[in-house]
């Protein structure tokens, strides 16, 4: 469960770029996120200049993924970085009759087996179970909630805010369902493996030089 560390400030609605999801407009991180928690990737307009240059302009964070709920899939030891993936309606209407793998703009760029559906949404095939939230909870859009396993992102904690569209509840993945999703991504998504390697790289201790150099430095101080 996420532990609250400070308030998230005032919020005002905005339109997302992929699924017409309204999102809060604060850039303050509200929680220390745990694996399986549902967070929200803040609006692109809320990214600082440094965040825009490092993440949006380089494509490390997809601009269309901003202002979307995300599942926390990994966390650095210092909680400064998280691996997340979006949950999106993919511009489908509330009836769920036009899932992304049937949409022309996604058919050529995305693999149908890469989509996972939350319980209540159309499933791309019977090979994988429905994803589920803990305690039997549902998404605000229960018929149009999909994950694409090939789009994980490594994001700084400052880009994540509280998901406010669940009537004040902190949503999180059911434990078994999270394990199923992680196993699927470990087995089939090279992008997930790269994100984990990148997280290790950016959080690795600063190299202080070979041991011989460190020993000489210590002796010089004595």
């Amino acid at each position: 469960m996420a532990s609250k560390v400070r308030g998230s400030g005032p919020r005002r609605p905005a339109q997302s770029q992929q699924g017409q999801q309204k999102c809060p407009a604060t850039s303050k991180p509200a929680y220390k996120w745990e694996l399986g928690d549902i967070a929200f990737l803040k609006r692109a307009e809320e990214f600082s200049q440094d965040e825009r240059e490092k993440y949006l302009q380089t494509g490390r964070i997809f601009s269309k993924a901003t202002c979307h709920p995300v599942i926390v899939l990994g966390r650095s030891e210092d909680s400064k970085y998280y691996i997340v993936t979006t949950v999106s309606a993919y511009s489908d209407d509330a009836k769920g009759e036009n899932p992304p793998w049937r949409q022309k703009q996604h058919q050529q760029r995305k693999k149908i087996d890469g989509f996972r559906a939350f319980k209540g949404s159309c499933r791309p095939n019977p090979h994988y179970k429905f994803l589920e939230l803990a305690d039997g909870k549902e998404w605000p859009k229960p018929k149009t909630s999909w994950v694409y396993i090939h789009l994980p992102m490594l994001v700084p904690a400052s880009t994540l805010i509280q998901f406010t569209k669940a009537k004040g509840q902190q949503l999180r993945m059911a434990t078994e369902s999270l394990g199923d999703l992680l196993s699927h991504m470990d087995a089939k998504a090279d992008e997930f493996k790269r994100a984990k390697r990148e997280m290790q790289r950016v959080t690795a201790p600063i190299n202080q030089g070979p041991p011989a150099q460190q020993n000489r430095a210590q002796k010089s101080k004595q």
Side-chain angles (χ1 to χ4, degrees):
M1 190 72 178
S3 54
K4 191 170 183 179
V5 295
R6 65 175 179 237
S8 56
R11 297 177 174 85
R12 57 188 173 85
Q15 291 294 322
S16 76
Q17 302 177 52
Q18 182 184 356
Q20 302 304 310
Q21 173 72 53
K22 294 181 179 180
C23 68
T26 177
S27 61
K28 296 181 180 179
Y31 290 95
K32 178 179 178 180
W33 307 100
E34 304 290 346
L35 265 63
D37 278 344
I38 307 302
F40 215 89
L41 189 58
K42 66 184 182 181
R43 294 185 310 157
E45 293 85 352
E46 287 294 310
F47 278 57
S48 67
Q49 182 63 31
D50 184 62
E51 289 169 343
R52 286 195 294 271
E53 292 177 355
K54 286 184 177 179
Y55 296 98
L56 294 180
Q57 294 176 13
T58 61
R60 293 166 69 183
I61 293 179
F62 316 117
S63 60
K64 288 186 177 182
T66 61
C67 202
H68 274 74
V70 294
I71 305 170
V72 175
L73 303 174
R75 185 182 72 187
S76 64
E77 291 185 5
D78 58 8
S79 299
K80 290 183 178 180
Y81 294 90
Y82 294 88
I83 299 174
V84 301
T85 193
T86 57
V87 179
S88 178
Y90 285 91
S91 301
D92 192 5
D93 57 28
K95 296 180 180 180
E97 297 175 352
N98 189 31
W101 55 90
R102 295 177 187 165
Q103 297 176 25
K104 186 176 180 180
Q105 66 268 34
H106 296 300
Q107 287 177 338
Q108 295 182 344
R109 296 182 298 166
K110 293 181 173 64
K111 305 173 184 177
I112 186 171
D113 287 341
F115 285 102
R116 295 295 300 268
F118 273 89
K119 188 175 182 179
S121 301
C122 179
R123 191 165 52 164
N125 57 55
H127 304 315
Y128 296 101
K129 298 178 180 178
F130 284 107
L131 299 177
E132 296 186 41
L133 295 173
D135 303 319
K137 295 178 181 177
E138 290 187 340
W139 286 98
K141 297 181 179 181
K143 295 184 179 181
T144 57
S145 295
W146 292 285
V147 170
Y148 188 62
I149 68 167
H150 297 290
L151 294 179
M153 297 170 289
L154 179 65
V155 304
S158 58
T159 62
L160 298 178
I161 56 179
Q162 186 181 7
F163 180 51
T164 61
K165 301 303 177 183
K167 298 180 180 180
Q169 303 178 83
Q170 171 59 57
L171 298 182
R172 62 176 290 106
M173 294 278 291
T175 301
E176 182 179 349
S177 192
L178 174 63
D180 178 39
L181 178 61
L182 291 173
S183 295
H184 187 186
M185 295 182 73
D186 273 326
K188 300 293 184 180
D190 290 338
E191 300 87 351
F192 186 42
K193 298 174 185 176
R194 286 197 293 269
K196 290 193 287 186
R197 290 196 297 268
E198 176 67 6
M199 184 166 65
Q200 292 178 341
R201 186 189 69 79
V202 299
T203 59
I206 298 174
N207 185 4
Q208 296 182 351
Q213 293 180 10
Q214 295 181 35
N215 291 337
R216 286 196 295 270
Q218 291 174 356
K219 289 179 179 179
S220 67
K221 295 179 180 179
Q222 296 177 353

